[in-house]
Amino acid sequence: MKKIILLILLINNCFSKIQSQSPEQMIFDDVVKFKIGKYYGLFDTTAVEVLPPIFDEILVGKSDEVKVRLNAKEGLYKKNGEQIIPLEYDDIMFSYEDMIRVRINEKYGFINRFNKMIIPAIYKSAESFSEGLAMVKAVDKSGFIDKSGKVVIPFQYDNVQESFTHGIVKVKIKGKELLIDRNGKKITDLYDEMRILENGFITIKDNDKYGLIDYNGKLIIPFKYQDFIFFNEGLASVSFRGKYGYLDTKGEEIIPLQYDNTYSFFNGIAKVELNQKYGLINKSGEHVLENKYDHISYPFKDNNLALVKLDGKWFLFGINERQLVDFKDNIIFPSSQNLFYFGIVNNEERFMNQKEIVWGIANIEGKVVVPPRYLNMGIFSDDMFRVESGEGGFKDYGSYDLSVIKRIPGKWGFMDIHGNEIIPPQYNYAKDFSDGYAAVAIKNEEKWEGKWGFIDKQGKIVIPIQYNQVRNFKNGMARVQIGKKWGIIDKTGKEIIPVKYDWIEGILNDDSEMEMSYEQYNYLFK
């Protein structure tokens, strides 16, 4: 106990020194977690170290709270390093409804944000508060208490990790599930399984059949269907005796159960399958496209267009059917800006079942913008496409005992939306442009290693090629690695956070690349 108190005093002393520094400009959207050796620390939004690297673990919450663990004890801090709850609990949760669940000597109770014990730690288990109530378990049964600790719903249920939503909660009795309200009143009978949906309905399962009720327990769809029922755009796909169709929220069969498979509606259109052929229908069940296509992609979000494939040829569906491209054995999928990637088999030769694919771009009118000539392409980002150019093919790098098949790499560069190569392919690898910069790599063939740096849209190297790993820029910052240490730099290459940490996370999900390969996209379009 003395050791813990001394550590807490040390931490608070560190915080007081850190927080006395002059404030800096806000640079991070949120905090940055870092690691030195086995221990974690935290930077605030201004790159000031607010939690020193002495913790066994740090978990960042969605609000202003950070959960920390040290020597098997847990506490809470604010993201600016201010202590909320000392490190004195065996387990602690983030606060919900101003109540914090804690564990002391294998028992659970609740404190407030001032570390005052509101509900003694006497329960075998407990869930967080929701809508003023929390499920707790005493001995072998669970019930619900209010924020004063008063038992509102008696201990009579099997424990489930559920919280109140819309005034109802799911509980269990002898393996069966039912709904109750905040007064403990039963809303439903016992069923095998149920799932509360956000649109006012609850999917229920009984004797391997599915139905639907509303939040008041009224039966909407009888127990006769073979899949969980989920609504999308007001209609639910259901199956009965191997056939699929659609019901509305009243349980009426709007589209007969006649298909081998059905998919969710999107912008009023859904894909349906019959006899291994695909079509599109509207909400009235009328065919927008007949069931004759080998494949149909989902309608696109922005323009409600869909790609369809028939007899090896792709068509673009919009107001009418228009043929997009006519290449043998082609692969096609949407890019952006009303453009489409398409890949064709470069030759019929196959090496260890590998095919060489080359990629190009077409527009929605079917015009080829970029002929299929690239081994690989990235996403359209910052007005640029990342492209890989070279001879391609595959090579056996293996020995007599072990064969290792690798694709022969090309060089990477960048082109604009019109197909003009702005930055000629010259790098061993590259990442998509982000925040005006792109990460590029040059490989030292003798040492079998590569180094990374950054270029601008004119192809100028703006940050030297010196890093072992990098992540994309976002909001003027990027994570970089030298040797085995990580830091954060700005767009001038200045270290905002020194490159000395074993790991850094939390500034953003800073890589958004997409690599294309025949295997990946052939799978997507089966």
Side-chain angles (χ1 to χ4, degrees):
M1 187 65 182
K2 289 181 179 179
K3 183 179 178 182
I4 294 171
I5 293 172
L6 287 172
L7 282 170
I8 292 171
L9 290 173
L10 173 62
I11 294 167
N12 289 333
N13 186 45
C14 291
F15 294 160
S16 65
K17 290 180 180 179
I18 291 167
Q19 291 169 346
S20 66
Q21 300 176 19
S22 59
E24 299 178 28
Q25 182 183 2
M26 301 288 281
I27 55 173
F28 298 138
D29 292 333
D30 208 346
V31 294
V32 174
K33 177 180 170 182
F34 66 91
K35 186 178 184 181
I36 294 181
K38 299 187 300 181
Y39 301 105
Y40 294 91
L42 201 72
F43 290 103
D44 70 6
T45 55
T46 64
V48 172
E49 186 182 290
V50 293
L51 290 181
I54 63 172
F55 297 99
D56 298 322
E57 183 56 278
I58 294 178
L59 299 176
V60 179
K62 293 182 178 179
S63 61
D64 69 331
E65 296 174 346
V66 176
K67 175 180 173 179
V68 299
R69 182 181 303 126
L70 178 63
N71 295 332
K73 295 296 181 182
E74 297 186 353
L76 292 181
Y77 288 86
K78 291 184 178 180
K79 290 179 179 178
N80 64 4
E82 180 184 342
Q83 186 184 83
I84 303 173
I85 306 297
L87 288 97
E88 59 185 38
Y89 296 100
D90 300 327
D91 178 70
I92 193 168
M93 284 287 291
F94 295 110
S95 61
Y96 290 89
E97 299 186 0
D98 296 324
M99 299 288 278
I100 302 169
R101 190 196 72 179
V102 295
R103 177 165 57 88
I104 304 172
N105 297 328
E106 303 302 322
K107 296 292 185 180
Y108 291 85
F110 292 87
I111 61 174
N112 62 17
R113 284 172 65 92
F114 300 101
N115 199 27
K116 180 181 178 182
M117 185 65 71
I118 305 300
I119 299 171
I122 59 175
Y123 296 106
K124 191 173 182 179
S125 67
E127 303 301 323
S128 296
F129 272 89
S130 62
E131 297 186 5
L133 298 178
M135 174 177 274
V136 294
K137 185 176 184 179
V139 189
D140 59 347
K141 293 296 180 182
S142 296
F144 290 84
I145 59 174
D146 63 18
K147 291 182 180 180
S148 69
K150 177 184 176 182
V151 177
V152 177
I153 299 174
F155 297 98
Q156 55 185 316
Y157 303 109
D158 301 332
N159 192 47
V160 291
Q161 294 180 335
E162 294 290 336
S163 300
F164 271 93
T165 177
H166 305 293
I168 57 175
V169 70
K170 180 174 68 175
V171 294
K172 282 187 176 182
I173 295 179
K174 295 181 179 179
K176 295 278 189 176
E177 298 182 347
L178 74 153
L179 289 180
I180 61 174
D181 64 17
R182 297 183 76 258
N183 297 314
K185 180 182 177 181
K186 294 181 180 180
I187 298 174
T188 68
D189 294 326
L190 290 167
Y191 297 110
D192 294 333
E193 190 177 351
M194 59 178 56
R195 190 172 301 178
I196 300 174
L197 310 179
E198 287 297 323
N199 59 355
F201 297 106
I202 301 159
T203 300
I204 47 178
K205 176 185 178 182
D206 204 41
N207 296 320
D208 292 324
K209 300 296 182 182
Y210 294 90
L212 195 78
I213 61 175
D214 63 18
Y215 284 177
N216 296 315
K218 180 182 177 182
L219 185 65
I220 306 298
I221 297 176
F223 295 95
K224 74 177 209 177
Y225 298 103
Q226 295 164 331
D227 284 321
F228 256 115
I229 301 170
F230 295 98
F231 281 93
N232 181 265
E233 295 190 3
L235 294 179
S237 170
V238 296
S239 67
F240 180 66
R241 293 179 179 174
K243 289 297 181 180
Y244 289 79
Y246 294 89
L247 307 180
D248 65 12
T249 55
K250 297 179 181 179
E252 296 179 2
E253 194 173 291
I254 300 300
I255 298 172
L257 279 69
Q258 57 186 324
Y259 297 104
D260 297 328
N261 204 355
T262 52
Y263 299 80
S264 295
F265 272 90
F266 191 85
N267 290 349
I269 297 175
K271 180 170 70 172
V272 292
E273 180 184 356
L274 184 62
N275 299 324
Q276 297 184 331
K277 295 293 182 178
Y278 296 93
L280 293 177
I281 61 173
N282 60 25
K283 288 187 176 181
S284 298
E286 301 167 338
H287 271 89
V288 181
L289 285 182
E290 295 297 325
N291 280 86
K292 65 179 183 179
Y293 295 96
D294 302 316
H295 175 80
I296 296 180
S297 75
Y298 268 91
F300 301 139
K301 181 178 180 180
D302 297 328
N303 49 27
N304 210 32
L305 299 174
L307 286 169
V308 299
K309 187 177 183 180
L310 178 64
D311 298 330
K313 297 179 181 181
W314 284 92
F315 297 84
L316 181 67
F317 167 74
I319 299 174
N320 49 44
E321 292 180 56
R322 290 174 289 170
Q323 184 171 316
L324 182 61
V325 289
D326 185 7
F327 290 108
K328 185 179 180 181
D329 202 12
N330 63 76
I331 310 162
I332 190 164
F333 60 98
S335 168
S336 57
Q337 307 294 315
N338 288 330
L339 296 175
F340 302 89
Y341 301 103
F342 66 90
I344 64 169
V345 178
N346 196 26
N347 54 59
E348 288 302 319
E349 294 182 11
R350 297 178 181 176
F351 186 69
M352 296 293 291
N353 296 320
Q354 301 284 350
K355 287 184 180 181
E356 179 58 37
I357 307 297
V358 289
W359 297 90
I361 295 175
N363 63 23
I364 62 174
E365 300 299 329
K367 180 182 177 181
V368 174
V369 178
V370 179
R373 62 176 182 245
Y374 293 107
L375 300 178
N376 217 322
M377 299 181 72
I379 64 174
F380 184 69
S381 177
D382 275 10
D383 301 320
M384 302 278 258
F385 282 100
R386 177 171 52 99
V387 294
E388 182 186 13
S389 182
E391 295 182 2
F394 296 88
K395 183 177 179 180
D396 186 350
Y397 288 89
S399 63
Y400 177 80
D401 297 322
L402 179 63
S403 183
V404 179
I405 309 302
K406 293 184 179 180
R407 185 173 70 86
I408 300 171
K411 296 289 187 179
W412 288 87
F414 294 86
M415 70 178 187
D416 65 17
I417 200 170
H418 305 294
N420 302 312
E421 286 188 358
I422 306 301
I423 301 171
Q426 58 190 292
Y427 299 104
N428 293 105
Y429 197 71
K431 297 175 181 283
D432 297 311
F433 265 94
S434 176
D435 212 8
Y437 283 6
V440 294
I442 295 178
K443 184 178 180 181
N444 185 322
E445 298 294 345
E446 294 181 359
K447 295 183 178 180
W448 286 89
E449 65 179 19
K451 296 289 186 181
W452 289 86
F454 291 88
I455 61 173
D456 62 17
K457 291 185 178 180
Q458 287 71 48
K460 178 184 176 182
I461 295 178
V462 288
I463 296 176
I465 297 175
Q466 61 182 333
Y467 301 104
N468 292 88
Q469 291 189 60
V470 297
R471 298 292 184 264
N472 289 343
F473 268 95
K474 183 68 179 287
N475 297 334
M477 296 169 293
R479 286 189 288 163
V480 296
Q481 184 191 48
I482 296 178
K484 295 183 178 181
K485 301 298 182 180
W486 288 87
I488 295 177
I489 62 172
D490 65 15
K491 297 181 76 173
T492 69
K494 177 184 175 182
E495 293 183 5
I496 299 173
I497 293 178
V499 183
K500 67 176 186 179
Y501 299 100
D502 293 312
W503 182 242
I504 288 179
E505 66 181 40
I507 109 174
L508 50 136
N509 293 323
D510 44 12
D511 270 341
S512 57
E513 326 171 8
M514 177 175 63
E515 297 296 336
M516 290 183 291
S517 70
Y518 180 83
E519 290 78 11
Q520 287 174 304
Y521 293 101
N522 190 43
Y523 172 78
L524 288 175
F525 280 83
K526 282 183 178 179

